[in-house]
Amino acid sequence: EGTEKLGDYAFFGCSSITIITIPDSVTSIGRYAFIGCSSITSITIPDSITRISNGAFSDCSGLTGITIPNCVTSIGDKAFYGCKGLTSITIPDSVTSIGDKAFYGCSGLTSITIPDSVTSIGRSAFEYCSSLTSITIPDSVTSIGEEAFFCCSSLTSIIVEEGNIVYHSAGNCLIETASNTLITGSNNSVIPSDGSVTSIGDYAFFGCRSLTSITIPDSVTSIGGYAF
């Protein structure tokens, strides 16, 4: 108690730590503060923290559960990069942005709840989340980075909530409305044939290992690199 900040790389590579309690007096966790703490199974983040810094819990591969308090407004780049032990995580309504590669390689993650407060999802945010089966994108999201759901090989359901002005979903496909571009597909995708898709983006179906067939409608004029 009384500690206010944890510096950058403070517990770098402390691979034998299993549990850590951060007191309420801490208002700032530095970049990559716990990177490589592979034996930590649980962390309680106090309500005094407003941002999860870049790489704060990168490669905490033993981490099975974490509670993000309602005061956190942003999740930084690579915040939970390589946390293979995480199976589910609830992002509170206070969060407005999810950084680049925030959950990259969280291969045990089966479900994720993105609240209506989130407006941006960074590049490769959920890349290689190979156990993720479904994703629901709220109507508040106006920016999704490239390859945000790249190689989510178990993905079968993609839903964009009604009212989203930038994106929509159809046939378990994530589509950028203005450009008519299919950004991300899934193992259960059916490309809509109503003319709403004119291009299939780069890496759109990359890693959809259970996809057995797909019909490309006449409205499609271009197929991006590595699309299948």
Side-chain angles (χ1 to χ4, degrees), residues 150-168:
F150 177 85
C151 212
C152 291
S153 54
S154 299
L155 196 62
T156 57
S157 173
I158 301 173
I159 297 171
V160 179
E161 292 180 349
E162 290 186 12
N164 192 302
I165 61 174
V166 180
Y167 306 98
H168 71 278

Side-chain angles (χ1 to χ4, degrees), residues 11 58 109 130 132 148 150 180 205:
F11 294 92
S58 282
L109 197 63
S130 54
L132 193 65
F150 177 85
N180 296 324
F205 290 92

Side-chain angles (χ1 to χ4, degrees), residues 15-26:
S15 57
S16 295
I17 294 177
T18 57
I19 296 173
I20 193 154
T21 301
I22 303 171
D24 291 338
S25 57
V26 172

Side-chain angles (χ1 to χ4, degrees), residues 74-96:
S74 64
I75 298 173
D77 299 345
K78 296 185 177 181
F80 296 97
Y81 183 106
C83 291
K84 300 175 182 179
L86 281 178
T87 56
S88 65
I89 192 164
T90 299
I91 299 172
D93 292 338
S94 55
V95 172
T96 60

Side-chain angles (χ1 to χ4, degrees), residues 13 20 37 46 60-61 67 71 86 112-113 115 119 144 152 155 160 169 175 187 198 207 219:
I20 193 154
C37 293
C60 290
S61 55
T67 300
C71 51
L86 281 178
I112 188 83
T113 300
T119 59
I144 298 176
C152 291
L155 196 62
V160 179
S169 58
I175 302 163
N187 292 305
T198 58
S219 58

Side-chain angles (χ1 to χ4, degrees), residues 38-118:
S38 55
S39 296
I40 289 180
T41 56
S42 67
I43 296 174
T44 300
I45 301 174
D47 290 340
S48 51
I49 300 296
T50 59
R51 183 178 189 273
I52 298 178
S53 300
N54 294 353
F57 303 103
S58 282
D59 292 323
C60 290
S61 55
L63 190 64
T64 57
I66 191 162
T67 300
I68 300 175
N70 287 323
C71 51
V72 170
T73 59
S74 64
I75 298 173
D77 299 345
K78 296 185 177 181
F80 296 97
Y81 183 106
C83 291
K84 300 175 182 179
L86 281 178
T87 56
S88 65
I89 192 164
T90 299
I91 299 172
D93 292 338
S94 55
V95 172
T96 60
S97 64
I98 298 172
D100 296 346
K101 297 187 177 182
F103 295 95
Y104 181 107
C106 291
S107 55
L109 197 63
T110 58
S111 64
I112 188 83
T113 300
I114 300 174
D116 289 338
S117 56
V118 171

